[in-house]
Amino acid sequence: MSKFNITIEIMPIDSVLDPQGEAIELTLKNNSKYLAANFRVGKRIEFTLESKNKTSCRNTVNDLCEKFLVNEIIEKYKIKIENEKN
Amino acid sequence: MRKINFGVIQFPGSNCEQDCFYVVKHILKQNCSYIWHDSKSLKNLDCIIVPGGFSYGDYLRTGAIAAQSNISSKIKDFAHNGGVVIGICNGFQILTELKLLPGVLLRNKSLNFICKDVNLKVTNSNSIFTSEYSHNEILKIPIAHAEGNFFLNKSEVSEVKKFNQIIFQYVNSKGLCDIDSNPNGSIMNIAGIRNKKGNVLGLMPHPERVSENLLGGLDGKKIFQSIIKQLS
């Protein structure tokens, strides 16, 4: 078994209104110093997982996302898997 | 008439369970018990109430962690076997995370926690939960939530219309669904929705808070009375 470091980035899907992103954008519109736009606010989850290999690790993480960590009606996600560095 | 056996689920962070218990047990004189989230069984219940609150601190997504608890799989089995389930506020959020109801409750469009009375229309009075109301009856029931913005994807929108799943909608005092009477940005002003089979209801407003005159109204009482009538 190997130990992997997992990072999941979760974002609202494009068709979902993101009021947090809108609030940030609205605030910055009042400040002409920045030309920043199209804000979307998501979350990042980090954890470790023991698994046979990277493929089985990815399958487990996908399962975990679909069943618990992500609600795919409103969210999309990206998984990053790295071997744990000692 | 036999007494109906209600069960009110308690998660860490539930805070409306005593109000539900009080209405069912002391106003409507039915049997009622609390069911702790870690319980292994549901006993012999006729109806489950998933109450409001902030289960597990609303961490991850509202209702998401509660939906993974021991009792939630039992609630799912109970509903799949035709048992009557009603989820109020956080209870509604939990039932959507359990996939017993379509859609998701997002942050309110304004990002504010909103606590006020709203006008509701009984869009469908032909249900287990609303048979004691008349069609299009207008009710005044309080809401108290930060995540009540009901969202459906495109395929779900046509499904809920097709199966008459919309039970309550936010309206103005004349019964009109408009933007101004939509407190949280919910799609089609939806405040309450049932599953296709018709035995599971979720709603954001709190009927248990307007079930006796002393507390300012009776508009919520008929939901519980409808359930009792249907199950008797």
Side-chain angles (χ1 to χ4, degrees):
Chain A
M1 296 286 265
S2 309
K3 204 169 185 181
F4 297 94
N5 289 324
I6 316 292
T7 307
I8 303 171
E9 277 181 13
I10 303 170
M11 292 297 294
I13 60 171
D14 296 346
S15 56
V16 168
L17 173 81
D18 174 23
Q20 290 187 85
E22 278 196 358
I24 293 169
E25 189 154 341
L26 201 66
T27 305
L28 284 177
K29 266 190 185 152
N30 301 328
N31 186 338
S32 55
K33 188 174 154 193
Y34 306 105
L35 293 171
N38 302 316
F39 285 86
R40 305 285 284 171
V41 179
K43 58 191 154 200
R44 176 184 162 113
I45 299 175
E46 296 175 344
F47 58 98
T48 61
L49 184 76
E50 281 187 40
S51 200
K52 267 193 295 189
N53 52 45
K54 214 164 179 175
T55 310
S56 70
C57 176
R58 184 168 290 277
N59 290 339
T60 306
V61 176
N62 269 322
D63 193 49
L64 196 55
C65 285
E66 286 163 19
K67 293 196 175 130
F68 182 30
L69 298 177
V70 180
N71 188 329
E72 291 184 274
I73 300 174
I74 49 166
E75 294 169 328
K76 58 185 178 182
Y77 64 97
K78 273 186 200 161
I79 299 170
K80 196 167 128 194
I81 300 173
E82 288 173 321
N83 290 320
E84 192 177 62
K85 291 166 196 128
N86 293 315
Chain B
M1 214 157 82
R2 80 171 179 105
K3 283 189 178 181
I4 302 304
N5 296 313
F6 283 85
V8 183
I9 310 291
Q10 287 181 305
F11 292 103
S14 295
N15 65 12
C16 301
E17 72 273 30
Q18 291 188 27
D19 308 46
C20 294
F21 185 96
Y22 172 77
V23 170
V24 169
K25 179 97 174 173
H26 300 291
I27 297 180
L28 296 166
K29 312 291 182 198
Q30 304 297 308
N31 297 326
C32 193
S33 54
Y34 291 119
I35 314 286
W36 184 237
H37 69 104
D38 217 14
S39 301
K40 299 281 181 290
S41 85
L42 286 169
K43 303 171 196 164
N44 291 317
L45 298 179
D46 300 305
C47 176
I48 292 174
I49 302 175
V50 190
F54 300 88
S55 58
Y56 298 90
D58 278 349
Y59 294 160
L60 189 61
R61 298 177 307 277
T62 52
I65 296 182
Q68 299 290 322
S69 69
N70 258 347
I71 206 68
S72 290
S73 60
K74 304 280 182 297
I75 297 172
K76 212 165 179 175
D77 293 343
F78 180 80
H80 284 153
N81 290 326
V84 174
V85 182
I86 172 170
I88 301 165
C89 198
N90 187 223
F92 183 11
Q93 295 159 344
I94 294 167
L95 295 181
T96 61
E97 282 289 341
L98 269 174
K99 309 291 179 208
L100 284 173
L101 291 170
V104 185
L105 282 311
L106 297 168
R107 284 289 293 272
N108 295 340
K109 202 173 171 183
S110 64
L111 289 177
N112 293 324
F113 184 96
I114 305 168
C115 184
K116 65 174 187 180
D117 285 339
V118 294
N119 292 311
L120 294 181
K121 180 173 79 173
V122 183
T123 309
N124 183 350
S125 60
N126 185 22
S127 85
I128 292 172
F129 309 94
T130 49
S131 60
E132 293 295 290
Y133 294 106
S134 50
H135 182 58
N136 284 342
E137 187 172 336
I138 298 171
L139 318 173
K140 187 164 274 195
I141 297 186
I143 54 167
H145 60 247
E147 278 99 358
N149 178 358
F150 188 61
F151 176 85
L152 291 168
N153 62 31
K154 274 184 188 165
S155 61
E156 288 175 317
V157 168
S158 49
E159 284 254 304
V160 301
K161 284 183 185 165
K162 188 176 162 192
F163 292 95
N164 293 320
Q165 288 175 251
I166 303 169
I167 302 293
F168 297 110
Q169 286 173 291
Y170 301 109
V171 292
N172 64 17
S173 58
K174 289 176 182 147
L176 193 75
C177 277
D178 58 6
I179 291 176
D180 292 339
S181 53
N182 187 340
N184 48 32
S186 290
I187 189 163
M188 294 185 285
N189 283 40
I190 292 172
I193 196 154
R194 68 174 181 184
N195 63 343
K196 270 187 218 166
K197 205 167 161 185
N199 61 318
V200 180
L201 170 76
L203 76 166
M204 287 314 295
H206 286 271
E208 76 281 12
R209 296 186 189 178
V210 275
S211 290
E212 67 176 342
N213 274 324
L214 187 65
L215 291 180
L218 292 169
D219 282 359
K221 192 177 172 184
K222 284 183 187 169
I223 293 186
F224 303 103
Q225 288 173 318
S226 299
I227 296 170
I228 292 164
K229 194 176 174 190
Q230 292 285 327
L231 293 176
S232 297

